[in-house]
Each structure stands twice: as structure tokens, then as C-alpha cells.
């Protein structure tokens, strides 16, 4: 699996309140949530992006609330991947469970600039900055998580385990 | 090789003799929690499985605390999903307006959580129950849905960090200040993916309420869980509330820690976390930042001990004329107790608005939203951008004594400064 897209950069400690503010949490409809994706970090974000674009962020991306509305908002805004120096653990877990591809790649996350186009190869963890030509390597997923992704997220895994 | 308390609880629930950090395990769960924000998604996903029953209807807790009493039609619909699901699947522990409390204050109070348990909740502050010697951690809605079906979940066994607190507490220094000090020291990702174990002579002297406040904010340092040793106080607290036979685990002397930090509490003063991260701690004394609102409540500091402390400061005083003071007892029982003790008289004379239990303003939901440019001192746990309202507003985190004193002064002060 590969993703190619334009990069939108964010700093350290972007929290779930910035990704999807609580004032919109009285709904859980993905399309509604997408309209407010990243609103408190960049109010114009949703107007600027196109399908397939990639978020590149600093340390501890997705910290704060456990709200799955955050990865749902990002996914339904058609962001194809989030790349960061590190992720907050509940956010990381939520993304894997619902099949939003995310990658931890400190060097790439630091160096890649906003507006660059990058290609991510999820099979080998290779990140290519098409604008500069530089290639980076991301931490591969442990086998358990590869299995989770291969089965299409946690609910599908449960389905096969319970033979539903 | 010895194990930490966190490792022991996880091993026991995974049916293993030992586990070590980094290991992926599947653990049996003693309790699964969700609220009116996260449970609707979990319920939808659970229903899509088409199962006829949940793994155990006594071990699922649904708490409608965030936007209740229902603030609008949409939140009413969300809560209705919880109610309908509870009726249909016979969920015993469903709590709504009039019976509700902020989840992490409510579950310990009801005796639903206790030593040695393994608990997940679709809410990041589920780490609170570590104060009672349980392993408990926040997860997402999908995790909750899967757990309601199977009674199990996957964990990566975390490395542990040990925080040792020794020394007397200065006046007006509380559990809140100890945890703010810790977060200020290690940063908001200082314990990322890790278990935070709190110990030392100061901790032994701390009340269960104080420990709940500390464990509550482990997530604010990125921690997976916060955990305390079970002692006489824990046993007493738990046995007063439940007749379950709890299992007590203790870290071995030769347990391995990723890091150990020691703090001399005589050097810790009442603290305030400045916008927009809990790690931006500074002493309350001499801060002088002008404020517009004060909120005393939440799962961090909305328990009876917190209200007593606020009342002690506010007794015979009024909130500054420019301040809106909001007091939110965290549960119905706290509300009743505060009323019985006459604390409401003190708050009302101080011109405070007293609310029914709700998360309300803590997450910018309702009941005290901030306008652009406004500043609030809150006894809550997060001061992120826009957390309590307009993205251009600011939240300052503090303990109930500092919050109450700041309400009187109209600016951030140490409680001494209003004498
Ligand atoms: S009081 Fe605040 S932090 Fe606690 S559960 Fe409610 S919204 Fe979350």
C-alpha cells in the first residue's frame, strides 16, 4: 500500500481538542466531524487540503482525550496518513483499531517541509520526499499490529475470532 | 527478576506467571467504561457485530456525564443511545442525570473499582483508578466495543517509571500540586506509553482523594496508567464501598524501572499550569494574572475534600466583582455531603453558581464557556487551546485552594495573598 500527497505541517503536542474541538462532539457523524478537522490548530485547514494529503507533525501527536472522533475526523477529511515524531498512546491505538495509517518517523517528521509532496510505502516503511528526493525509513509495525491492519482493524479481527 | 505492581496485575489478567515490558498480551477485563461521547460510537460498532449479549452485563459501566443534563437535542440523542442500549442488554450500571457523577469520581465512590482490578475506559482519564491499586487505562471507542463483546483487550506491557515523594507538604500544597510538579518536571510526553508509580512517605500520608487527583493526571504526562500501592487507607476506602474480595499486588524490591525520580516535597509550593499545556507550571504566588472565571470541580478536583478546601478559603468572603465563580460537585453524593456540611452556604455567600454534577465547562461542553480573550482558573486537568471555549481563551490549572483564593482576588494568587 502506498500514499502520495502534499504535506501539511504541525508542531509538538497537537492534542485531540485541536484536532476536533469538544464543541462538535455532540455528534458522531464522520462527515460533520470532518468539517472541523484540525480547526483549533489551523482554522482554514479543511479549506486548504485535497484528498490524499498528509499530516506531518512533531512529538506526542494526538495527546489528550481518548475521543475516536479525532482519527475519524482526520480519516473522513481524506487525509491519507499522519506521520509524526511520536504519537500519544490512545491516539495511536485508535488509529490502528480503525485503520487510519500512521507512522512514527522522527527524522522525516523533523525535516520534511510544508508543501512538499511525499510518497509513503507502508509495506517497507519507506518515505520519499519527492520535492527533495530524500528517502527516510519509518519504524515498522510489530507483527501483532501488522496482523491487526491486515485483518482490517480491531472489529474485523474480533469478527473472525468470534466467527461471526 | 522482580515485577512492578503494573506488571503483576497485567500478568494475572493475561493468565501468565510473568510479563515484561514491551510484551503484547491479551488481558481479561474486570470492568469496561464508556461515556456519552465515546460510548455512542462503541455501541454502534458493537451492534454491527450482531451479538445477542454483552460479555458481562455487570461489568460494563455507562456514564452520561459530559453534556448532561442534556445540553441540546444532539446530546440528548447521544444519551438516548446509551439508555436504549442499557435497557436492551440489561446493563446494570447506567448513570444519567440525577444519579450521575463525573465518571472518574463516580466509579471509585460506588466501589466499582478497587485494588488489583484490570479496567479499561473509553475516556483518557480512566487512569484515575490506579489510586486504588488497580491497573486502569484509557482506550478508544473501538476498543470499548470489542471489550463489550469479548471481555478482553490487547495491551503492550508498559515500562514503569517510579516517582518517590518524601517530606512534609507545605501549606495549601495538595495532590494536584504534586502531579503538576511531576508533569512540569518530565513534560507532557515525559511518561509516554509508560506506567507511573507513585510512592514515598508523602504518598502514604496522602488521602485517597489526593491520590485519585494524582493518578487522574498521569495521562497528562503521556502515561498509560498511574498507580499507587494498596495500603490501610485503600483497604478502608474500598471495603466501605464494596464487599468484593480485592487482590492486593505490590511491586517487588528488585522490580525494574525505566527511570526513578525523587522529589523533596518541602520545596514544592502551590502551582499553576499556564496555557496551553499542563507542563507549563509556575508558582501561584506572585503570579497576578487577571482572570474572568473560576471553575472548581471535575474528575480531578470535584470531590468532597476539594470542596471543603475551597470553602475554607471562601468562608466569609466574596468572589471579586469581575469573577464568575462556578462550583460543580463531581457526584450526587458529593453534592449531598457538601450541602449537609453547609459548604453551599459559604459558596452562595461568595456569589458562586453551584451546578448539578456534570463535566460541563471542563471540556468546553456547557455551563461556563469562555469568550475570546477570557481567562479561567480551573481545578480541572487540561488547559489546551480552546479547551473551555473560544480558541482565543485561556485555562490555568490549579488546586481548589488556589482557585478559590484567585476567585476572591480576581487574579491568580497564592491563598496567603488574600489574608
Ligand atoms: S471532568 Fe473533564 S477530564 Fe474529567 S471526565 Fe469530564 S471532561 Fe473528562
Amino acid at each position: 500500500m502506498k500514499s502520495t500527497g502534499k504535506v501539511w505541517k504541525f508542531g509538538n503536542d497537537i492534542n485531540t481538542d485541536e484536532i476536533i474541538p469538544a464543541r462538535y462532539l455532540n455528534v458522531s457523524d464522520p462527515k460533520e466531524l470532518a468539517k472541523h478537522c484540525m480547526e483549533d490548530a489551523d482554522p482554514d485547514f479543511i479549506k486548504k487540503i485535497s484528498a490524499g494529503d498528509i499530516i506531518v507533525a512533531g512529538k506526542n501527536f494526538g495527546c489528550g482525550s481518548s475521543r475516536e472522533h479525532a482519527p475519524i475526523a482526520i480519516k473522513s477529511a481524506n487525509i491519507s496518513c499522519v506521520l509524526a515524531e511520536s504519537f500519544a498512546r490512545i491516539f495511536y491505538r485508535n488509529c490502528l483499531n480503525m485503520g487510519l495509517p500512521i507512522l512514527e518517523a522522527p527524522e522525516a517528521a523533523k525535516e520534511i517541509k510544508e508543501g512538499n509532496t511525499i510518497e509513503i510505502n507502508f509495506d517497507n516503511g519507506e518515505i520519499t520526499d519527492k520535492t527533495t528526493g530524500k528517502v527516510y525509513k519509518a519504524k515498522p509495525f510489530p507483527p501483532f499490529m501488522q496482523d491487526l491492519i491486515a485483518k482490517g482493524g480491531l472489529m474485523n479481527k474480533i469478527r473472525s475470532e468470534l466467527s461471526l | 527478576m522482580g515485577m512492578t505492581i503494573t506488571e503483576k496485575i497485567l500478568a494475572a489478567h493475561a493468565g501468565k506467571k510473568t510479563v515484561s515490558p514491551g510484551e503484547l498480551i491479551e488481558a481479561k477485563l474486570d470492568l469496561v467504561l464508556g461515556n456519552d461521547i465515546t460510548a455512542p460510537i462503541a455501541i454502534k460498532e458493537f451492534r454491527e457485530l450482531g451479538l445477542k449479549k454483552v460479555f458481562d452485563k455487570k461489568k460494563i459501566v455507562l456514564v452520561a456525564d459530559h453534556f448532561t443534563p442534556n445540553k441540546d437535542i444532539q446530546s440528548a440523542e447521544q444519551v438516548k443511545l446509551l439508555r436504549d442500549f442499557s435497557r436492551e442488554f440489561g446493563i446494570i450500571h447506567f448513570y444519567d442525570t440525577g444519579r450521575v457523577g463525573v465518571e472518574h469520581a463516580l466509579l471509585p465512590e460506588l466501589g466499582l473499582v478497587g485494588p488489583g482490578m484490570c479496567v479499561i475506559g473509553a475516556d483518557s482519564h480512566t487512569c484515575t483508578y490506579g489510586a486504588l491499586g488497580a491497573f486502569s487505562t484509557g482506550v478508544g471507542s473501538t476498543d470499548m466495543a470489542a471489550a463489550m463483546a469479548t471481555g478482553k483487550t490487547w495491551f503492550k506491557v508498559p515500562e514503569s517509571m517510579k516517582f518517590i515523594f518524601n517530606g512534609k507538604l507545605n501549606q495549601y500544597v495538595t495532590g494536584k500540586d504534586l502531579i503538576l510538579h511531576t508533569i512540569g518536571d518530565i513534560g507532557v510526553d515525559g511518561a509516554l506509553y509508560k506506567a507511573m508509580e507513585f510512592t514515598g512517605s508523602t504518598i502514604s500520608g496522602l488521602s485517597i482523594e489526593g491520590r485519585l487527583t494524582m493518578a487522574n493526571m498521569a495521562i497528562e504526562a503521556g502515561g498509560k496508567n498511574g498507580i499507587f500501592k494498596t495500603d490501610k487507607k485503600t483497604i478502608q476506602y474500598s471495603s466501605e464501598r464494596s464487599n468484593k474480595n480485592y487482590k492486593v499486588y505490590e511491586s517487588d524490591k528488585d522490580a525494574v524501572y525505566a527511570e526513578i525520580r525523587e522529589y523533596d516535597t518541602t520545596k514544592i509550593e502551590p502551582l499553576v499550569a499556564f496555557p496551553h499545556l499542563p507542563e507549563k507550571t509556575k508558582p501561584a504566588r506572585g503570579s497576578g494574572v487577571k482572570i474572568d472565571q473560576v471553575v472548581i470541580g471535575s474528575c480531578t478536583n470535584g470531590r468532597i475534600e476539594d470542596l471543603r478546601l475551597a470553602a475554607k478559603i471562601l468562608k466569609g468572603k466574596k468572589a471579586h466583582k469581575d469573577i464568575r465563580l462556578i462550583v460543580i460537585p463531581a457526584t450526587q453524593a458529593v453534592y449531598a455531603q457538601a450541602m449537609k456540611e453547609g459548604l453551599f452556604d459559604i459558596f452562595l455567600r461568595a456569589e458562586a453558581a453551584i451546578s448539578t454534577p456534570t463535566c460541563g465547562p471542563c471540556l468546553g461542553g456547557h455551563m461556563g464557556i469562555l469568550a475570546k480573550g477570557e481567562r479561567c482558573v480551573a481545578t480541572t486537568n487540561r488547559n489546551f487551546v480552546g479547551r473551555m471555549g473560544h480558541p482565543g481563551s485561556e485555562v490555568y490549572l490549579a488546586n481548589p485552594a488556589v482557585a478559590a483564593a484567585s476567585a476572591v482576588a480576581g487574579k491568580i494568587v497564592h491563598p496567603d495573598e488574600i489574608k
Side-chain angles (χ1 to χ4, degrees):
Chain A
M1 195 175 98
K2 275 185 187 175
S3 283
T4 308
K6 195 164 144 187
V7 167
W8 299 96
K9 275 206 100 162
F10 292 90
N12 292 334
D13 306 310
I14 294 293
N15 63 73
T16 53
D17 282 279
E18 288 168 280
I19 299 172
I20 182 78
R23 55 187 179 275
Y24 306 118
L25 294 187
N26 53 1
V27 296
S28 50
D29 174 27
K31 277 195 218 90
E32 277 304 308
L33 294 172
K35 282 186 201 159
H36 306 289
C37 180
M38 305 305 290
E39 189 171 298
D40 282 2
D42 176 0
D44 297 323
F45 181 72
I46 202 72
K47 284 182 227 146
K48 298 193 289 202
I49 57 168
S50 348
D53 282 1
I54 292 166
I55 290 177
V56 177
K59 286 189 297 180
N60 204 22
F61 186 85
C63 61
S65 307
S66 74
R67 58 184 75 150
E68 224 156 271
H69 310 67
I72 292 175
I74 293 175
K75 198 178 173 188
S76 47
N78 289 318
I79 293 295
S80 65
C81 175
V82 184
L83 197 106
E85 285 176 49
S86 67
F87 290 94
R89 60 162 281 277
I90 303 179
F91 184 84
Y92 188 82
R93 210 181 154 101
N94 286 344
C95 289
L96 289 182
N97 282 344
M98 57 179 282
L100 171 70
I102 58 171
L103 279 182
E104 256 182 26
E107 198 197 350
K110 272 198 201 102
E111 289 186 12
I112 293 170
K113 301 235 160 23
E114 175 147 311
N116 288 8
T117 298
I118 62 174
E119 183 187 86
I120 300 175
N121 182 333
F122 294 98
D123 302 326
N124 61 13
E126 244 173 45
I127 303 154
T128 311
D129 187 332
K130 296 225 165 198
T131 313
T132 64
K134 189 157 175 185
V135 179
Y136 305 87
K137 197 90 180 134
K139 267 193 218 163
F141 285 118
F144 173 85
M145 293 175 186
Q146 276 177 17
D147 180 52
L148 201 62
I149 294 168
K151 289 211 168 96
L154 184 64
M155 292 319 275
N156 286 329
K157 187 167 165 335
I158 297 283
R159 249 178 219 113
S160 71
E161 278 169 15
L162 297 176
S163 4
L164 292 172
Chain B
M1 199 173 75
M3 287 198 289
T4 66
I5 176 170
T6 296
E7 288 154 13
K8 284 186 183 176
I9 298 174
L10 287 175
H13 286 80
K16 295 182 160 218
K17 281 217 177 66
T18 60
V19 295
S20 45
E23 193 176 330
L24 282 153
I25 56 160
E26 192 167 52
K28 275 201 183 136
L29 299 166
D30 298 311
L31 207 70
V32 177
L33 164 73
N35 61 45
D36 50 330
I37 292 183
T38 56
I41 297 180
I43 287 170
K44 190 172 154 270
E45 287 181 294
F46 178 86
R47 284 188 184 281
E48 280 168 12
L49 292 175
L51 290 171
K52 294 273 171 311
K53 53 185 182 43
V54 296
F55 85 103
D56 188 336
K57 57 189 183 183
K58 295 190 292 301
K59 293 186 179 167
I60 293 169
V61 189
L62 297 173
V63 186
D65 55 355
H66 280 64
F67 294 125
T68 52
N70 302 338
K71 78 154 178 160
D72 55 19
I73 296 170
Q74 284 155 327
S75 34
E77 299 287 345
Q78 301 282 85
V79 174
K80 190 164 180 296
L81 287 175
L82 269 60
R83 184 178 308 105
D84 292 347
F85 179 79
S86 299
R87 283 198 189 130
E88 189 179 334
F89 288 85
I91 307 294
I92 295 165
H93 298 293
F94 165 61
Y95 300 97
D96 191 3
T97 308
R99 298 171 188 91
V100 84
V102 175
E103 50 198 319
H104 310 306
L106 187 67
L107 270 58
E109 181 187 286
L110 293 174
L112 292 173
V113 285
M117 288 176 73
C118 182
V119 180
I120 61 165
D123 187 277
S124 57
H125 294 103
T126 305
C127 51
T128 309
Y129 317 135
L132 300 173
F135 172 85
S136 66
T137 190
V139 296
S141 299
T142 305
D143 286 303
M144 184 193 173
M148 288 200 295
T150 64
K152 291 185 286 191
T153 200
W154 64 271
F155 292 120
K156 189 156 132 192
V157 178
E159 289 185 300
S160 291
M161 279 172 99
K162 183 147 84 174
F163 299 88
I164 308 169
F165 294 85
N166 283 315
K168 272 220 174 93
L169 291 179
N170 288 314
Q171 204 187 11
Y172 302 121
V173 171
T174 66
K176 180 66 161 283
D177 304 287
L178 300 184
I179 190 66
L180 284 177
H181 179 78
T182 310
I183 299 165
D185 181 40
I186 65 173
V188 292
D189 63 350
L192 198 59
Y193 307 123
K194 296 194 179 72
M196 300 173 79
E197 193 172 315
F198 301 101
T199 169
S201 62
T202 319
I203 301 296
S204 311
L206 205 64
S207 65
I208 294 295
E209 278 90 349
R211 297 178 197 177
L212 287 161
T213 301
M214 289 183 72
N216 177 267
M217 290 189 73
I219 177 76
E220 261 40 85
K224 181 168 198 153
N225 64 316
I227 199 154
F228 291 71
K229 184 175 145 182
T230 298
D231 61 10
K232 272 199 213 115
K233 285 182 189 169
T234 331
I235 299 286
Q236 196 192 339
Y237 183 95
S238 298
S239 55
E240 278 169 4
R241 288 165 175 80
S242 162
N243 51 15
K244 273 187 216 130
N245 284 324
Y246 294 121
K247 191 135 174 26
V248 175
Y249 298 90
E250 215 178 310
S251 293
D252 292 324
K253 291 225 162 57
D254 58 344
V256 179
Y257 293 90
E259 205 178 325
I260 298 177
R261 285 188 187 230
E262 272 192 78
Y263 300 116
D264 172 0
T265 58
T266 60
K267 299 209 176 93
I268 301 175
E269 287 291 319
L271 291 170
V272 175
F274 275 53
H276 289 284
L277 287 175
E279 69 183 24
K280 297 198 170 153
T281 52
K282 291 183 192 169
R285 190 186 297 282
S287 146
V289 175
K290 271 219 176 286
I291 52 174
D292 306 279
Q293 178 170 294
V294 170
V295 172
I296 299 171
S298 87
C299 60
T300 318
N301 283 121
R303 297 180 191 83
I304 190 68
E305 189 179 84
D306 303 310
L307 300 192
R308 283 183 193 136
L309 181 56
K312 199 172 129 194
I313 304 286
L314 290 168
K315 192 162 188 192
K317 298 202 170 65
K318 272 193 190 338
H320 187 278
K321 64 175 178 27
D322 297 334
I323 295 288
R324 310 183 296 265
L325 172 59
I326 302 170
V327 179
I328 312 178
T331 67
Q332 293 282 125
V334 172
Y335 193 102
Q337 183 66 24
M339 195 161 75
K340 196 168 118 198
E341 292 181 16
L343 307 186
F344 283 4
D345 290 333
I346 297 172
F347 296 144
L348 289 169
R349 287 206 183 101
E351 300 182 339
I354 304 170
S355 156
T356 187
T358 180
C359 290
C362 172
L363 78 159
H366 63 154
M367 304 290 291
I369 304 301
L370 300 173
K372 186 174 176 183
E374 287 191 326
R375 299 197 186 102
C376 177
V377 171
T379 65
T380 57
N381 48 36
R382 285 197 175 127
N383 55 352
F384 298 156
V385 172
R387 175 75 180 176
M388 268 199 181
H390 193 281
S393 62
E394 295 180 349
V395 179
Y396 296 74
L397 307 174
N399 77 34
V402 171
S406 303
V408 173
K411 57 184 183 181
I412 300 176
V413 294
H414 182 289
D416 275 354
E417 296 177 70
I418 60 158
K419 282 218 178 111

